[in-house]
């Protein structure tokens, strides 16, 4: 049983060696890698708190300012609140915030749109009929949904740059 598992593991390792598999954030002598390319993306300031959270997450995760800014990322978030989801307890109402964000990656030199996308996330929270607790729960849910969307945008940009072998 153990020898069969070892043989299968060895076969899988050999199969990966033969393909063009490469780590998403890896670099080589020929290219600077996706991480360096992500650092060359500038994100304009946002006009609202939700946009600021997404922007700050992306700047922090992508290492903005480490090199020449070759790309601009435009993000348009839209937040909606859903009504009552279910009623598990008499004094508790379950609600959700749904964030949809469209984004465009622009080449700064030509102004052309290189990549566009749309992502979304939803986070639910409880309203317990206490004004401060309800406000805090909604604020927390809004921040969590913004963090999820920013992580997804970063991953999509990294996949785009890896697929197109862009280097700064």
């Amino acid at each position: 049983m153990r020898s069969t598992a070892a043989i299968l593991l060895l076969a899988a390792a050999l199969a990966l060696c033969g393909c063009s598999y490469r780590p998403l954030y890896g670099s080589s002598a020929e290219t600077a890698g996706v991480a360096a390319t992500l650092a060359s993306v500038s994100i304009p300031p946002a006009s609202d708190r939700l946009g600021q959270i997404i922007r700050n997450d992306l700047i922090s995760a992508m290492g903005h300012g480490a090199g020449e800014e070759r790309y601009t990322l435009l993000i348009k978030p839209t937040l909606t609140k859903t009504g009552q989801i279910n009623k598990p307890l008499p004094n508790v109402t379950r609600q959700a915030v749904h964030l949809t964000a469209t984004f465009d990656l622009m080449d700064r030199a030509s102004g052309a749109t290189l990549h566009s996308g749309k992502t979304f996330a939803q986070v639910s929270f409880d309203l317990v009929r206490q004004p401060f607790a309800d406000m805090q729960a909604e604020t927390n849910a809004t921040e969590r949904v913004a963090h999820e969307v920013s992580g997804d945008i970063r991953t999509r940009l990294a996949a785009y740059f890896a697929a197109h072998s862009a280097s700064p």
Side-chain angles (χ1 to χ4, degrees), residues 91-165:
N91 294 331
V92 177
T93 302
R94 191 93 172 144
Q95 289 194 338
V97 289
H98 182 89
L99 175 61
T100 303
T102 58
F103 60 92
D104 296 310
L105 180 68
M106 315 283 284
D107 184 357
R108 289 187 78 145
S110 68
T113 300
L114 301 174
H115 181 63
S116 294
K118 184 176 186 178
T119 183
F120 69 93
Q122 180 171 313
V123 172
S124 58
F125 62 99
D126 291 330
L127 293 177
V128 294
R129 313 258 189 282
Q130 296 292 324
F132 183 75
D134 292 346
M135 180 187 66
Q136 196 61 34
E138 185 176 343
T139 301
N140 182 274
T142 303
E143 289 175 0
R144 287 186 293 147
V145 78
H147 294 307
E148 286 186 32
V149 163
S150 67
D152 190 43
I153 291 172
R154 178 180 180 264
T155 302
R156 288 174 185 233
L157 290 176
Y160 169 78
F161 286 132
H164 292 83
S165 299

